[in-house]
Amino acid sequence: MAQANLGLAAGKVPAPPTLSVVPPRPQCSASRLFAGRDILGTHDLSMTELDVILETAERYACALENRERLRVMDGKILATLFFEPSTRTRLSFETAMLRLGGSVITVSEAGSSSAAKGESLADSIKTVDGYADVIAVRHPMKGAAQVAADAASIPVINAGDGTGQHPTQALLDVYTIKKEQGRLEGLTVAMVGDLRNGRTVHSLVHLMAMFGNRLMFVAPPGLEMPAEVTAGLRSRGVDVYETHDLEEVIPHCDVLYVTRIQRERFADQAEYERYRGSYVVDGGLLRRAKPGLTIMHPLPRVDEIATDVDMHPGAAYFRQAHNGVPVRMALLALVTGSV
Ligand code: NCD
């Protein structure tokens, strides 16, 4: 923008700053940090970037609570391309965009799009690139979000790529942990369930590791956290403990992050049936938990958390799902340079 438009032509002494009722906008630099960026994973996020996302999300959470009508994305369009089932991720992305005053176009599951006619993901993305300002994509293939980002000129947000990553879920998980526990450091976090195939934990570990937390991985034999993930964490000095025994970790953890056995990742459904019900969190198990335990789940749950646990004061999974809106508002506004 030309300086003359701001009344700052050469030689002109700017007036001293006046007090304003409008709060300062630290997000100006935030916008520069994120504008035009893809969000594909969590491993490349710095502490500063994470802070910016969490602060922006908090600002939007307050605006939502105050029933403010936001217009920062007025005239902008989000395309949600979901080639796998979704309830929370798609609806909260779309709610986020609508709450920011923007609009949404959508393709849900392969059957209703040209993917059913054999179109490649890259070609679909190159097309949508001309319709929207930002894309949220979910796809069964690990690495698909990268393929989409390579094909797009607009920002691409990974809404889950097969067994790979689910960065927006991990960011709302971290936001939830901060809200529920009041801090992000000095915690023992147990992740339970299908850690081999569950993409939410693959993204969450990087963020929790940044704060020097103790991580406990509880999985049935064969569904453990991939060895390269645990090796990477240990090489960064992260305290990682692995076990098959859920009862053993319960008295130690501040956060219990439960995941579903990922049925759709098993070629052999008999194998899935063998794993199904490996762990069930119920009132009996929780009697041995620390006071102040936070129980989380990205949802959907199948049978991993008994419904009687919903009454537990630390049962945060529905609050967690709701936190998806302000966090995704923050991400959409940041990558489109709209904050
Ligand atoms: C998760 C996913 O899709 O990876 N769900 C979600 O996005 N909230 C977890 C799951 O499906 O088990």
Side-chain angles (χ1 to χ4, degrees):
M1 188 189 290
Q3 280 221 324
N5 291 347
L6 301 172
L8 292 174
K12 192 169 172 184
V13 180
T18 52
L19 281 178
S20 159
V21 288
V22 181
R25 299 188 63 194
Q27 271 69 29
C28 292
S29 57
S31 195
R32 272 197 294 276
L33 266 184
F34 282 98
R37 249 176 85 167
D38 304 310
I39 305 287
L40 304 181
T42 51
H43 45 281
D44 56 352
L45 282 177
S46 69
M47 194 69 104
T48 309
E49 290 163 347
L50 179 59
D51 276 350
V52 167
I53 295 168
L54 297 180
E55 275 168 27
T56 309
E58 191 52 32
R59 219 157 46 85
Y60 286 136
C62 291
L64 289 175
E65 220 172 282
N66 297 333
R67 304 211 160 270
E68 279 173 45
R69 229 184 137 85
L70 300 171
R71 288 269 154 260
V72 294
M73 296 282 273
D74 189 19
K76 293 204 171 127
I77 295 178
L78 161 70
T80 50
L81 271 71
F82 277 56
F83 300 99
E84 258 193 350
S86 171
T87 302
R88 277 148 290 271
T89 307
R90 187 154 71 87
L91 290 183
S92 65
F93 257 117
E94 296 183 1
T95 303
M97 191 60 176
L98 297 173
R99 292 282 190 213
L100 289 166
S103 310
V104 177
I105 55 174
T106 190
V107 158
S108 66
E109 295 189 49
S112 66
S113 75
S114 285
K117 302 180 191 169
E119 184 172 56
S120 71
L121 176 62
D123 280 3
S124 299
I125 294 287
K126 281 181 194 158
T127 306
V128 173
D129 201 62
Y131 301 158
D133 299 281
V134 53
I135 294 172
V137 64
R138 167 170 289 193
H139 197 279
M141 184 185 79
K142 184 177 174 181
Q146 182 68 60
V147 172
D150 291 345
S153 70
I154 59 176
V156 169
I157 304 179
N158 182 4
D161 62 326
T163 59
Q165 294 273 322
H166 196 347
T168 67
Q169 178 70 43
L171 288 162
L172 77 88
D173 293 341
V174 167
Y175 179 86
T176 303
I177 292 170
K178 191 167 181 193
K179 267 194 136 47
E180 300 285 326
Q181 286 285 326
R183 66 189 203 278
L184 281 173
E185 60 290 313
L187 298 169
T188 296
V189 181
M191 300 184 188
V192 184
D194 186 350
L195 306 185
R196 183 181 73 187
N197 298 308
R199 55 196 171 198
T200 66
V201 290
H202 297 167
S203 290
L204 183 57
V205 287
H206 296 295
L207 299 181
M208 293 320 289
M210 280 164 67
F211 296 90
N213 293 300
R214 180 167 197 228
L215 303 179
M216 300 180 111
F217 297 152
V218 187
L223 297 186
E224 292 93 349
M225 186 67 82
E228 67 269 20
V229 176
T230 47
L233 291 167
R234 287 196 173 111
S235 73
R236 287 164 59 190
V238 181
D239 181 357
V240 175
Y241 179 76
E242 292 185 274
T243 178
H244 302 305
D245 185 0
L246 177 57
E247 299 222 1
E248 180 195 351
V249 307
I250 286 293
H252 305 285
C253 49
D254 302 295
V255 176
L256 183 64
Y257 190 97
V258 186
T259 67
R260 170 178 75 87
I261 306 291
Q262 304 280 297
R263 173 182 213 143
E264 64 276 34
R265 310 293 174 216
F266 290 85
D268 174 5
Q269 285 305 295
E271 195 192 356
Y272 164 74
E273 289 299 337
R274 275 200 300 282
Y275 282 117
R276 192 182 164 166
S278 293
Y279 302 112
V280 177
V281 175
D282 57 17
L285 183 83
L286 292 176
R287 271 199 282 279
R288 298 182 49 247
K290 268 190 184 177
L293 172 72
T294 297
I295 306 154
M296 297 174 67
H297 193 308
L299 302 176
R301 73 173 148 187
V302 181
D303 46 18
E304 315 78 45
I305 302 183
T307 50
D308 64 338
V309 175
D310 298 0
M311 305 303 288
H312 188 289
Y317 25 94
F318 292 110
R319 295 193 287 278
Q320 180 186 355
H322 297 160
N323 290 337
V325 174
V327 171
R328 291 184 171 113
M329 286 170 81
L331 291 167
L332 289 169
L334 285 165
V335 300
T336 55
S338 310
V339 287

